[in-house]
């Protein structure tokens, strides 16, 4: 009888653990999906596409553009172009530029106009 009880406890523990792992990896509203959505949202928030409006934190030091709604009072600039290459400067039609240098991918410059 003792062996049966121990077997039931072991099966219950492994069953619960298995269900947790399955639920974590497959639930569309929690677990892995929530973590991926959060990571994706934060990554996209600082990588504007052409036409996106942004506010820029620390524009004179280490600028970080954050995508905001163009109708928002926070919107400072609108992304006008992404120029690829090392040391490429924005043209005179743009009010502001941020250069990105990356050892693992392509260097580029984001060009912005005031909103």
């Amino acid at each position: 009888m003792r062996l049966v009880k121990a077997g039931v406890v072991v099966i219950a523990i492994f069953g619960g653990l298995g269900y947790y792992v399955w639920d974590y990896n497959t639930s569309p509203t929690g677990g892995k999906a929530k973590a991926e959505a959060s990571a994706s949202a934060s990554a996209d928030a600082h990588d504007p596409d052409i036409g996106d409006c942004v506010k820029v934190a620390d524009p004179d030091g280490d600028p970080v553009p954050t995508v905001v709604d163009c109708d928002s009072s926070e919107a400072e600039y609108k992304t006008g172009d992404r120029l690829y290459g090392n040391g490429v400067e924005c043209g005179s039609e743009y009010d502001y530029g941020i250069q990105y240098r990356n050892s693992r991918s392509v260097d580029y410059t984001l060009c912005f106009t005031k909103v």
Side-chain angles (χ1 to χ4, degrees), residues 16-41:
L17 180 63
Y19 175 76
Y20 174 78
V21 170
W22 173 81
D23 187 54
Y24 181 84
N25 288 312
T26 60
S27 175
T29 59
K32 189 176 183 179
K34 187 181 263 185
E36 288 174 353
S38 175
S40 175

Side-chain angles (χ1 to χ4, degrees), residues 2-16:
R2 184 179 265 173
L3 190 58
V4 171
K5 285 182 183 179
V8 169
V9 169
V10 168
I11 289 173
I13 290 172
F14 279 108

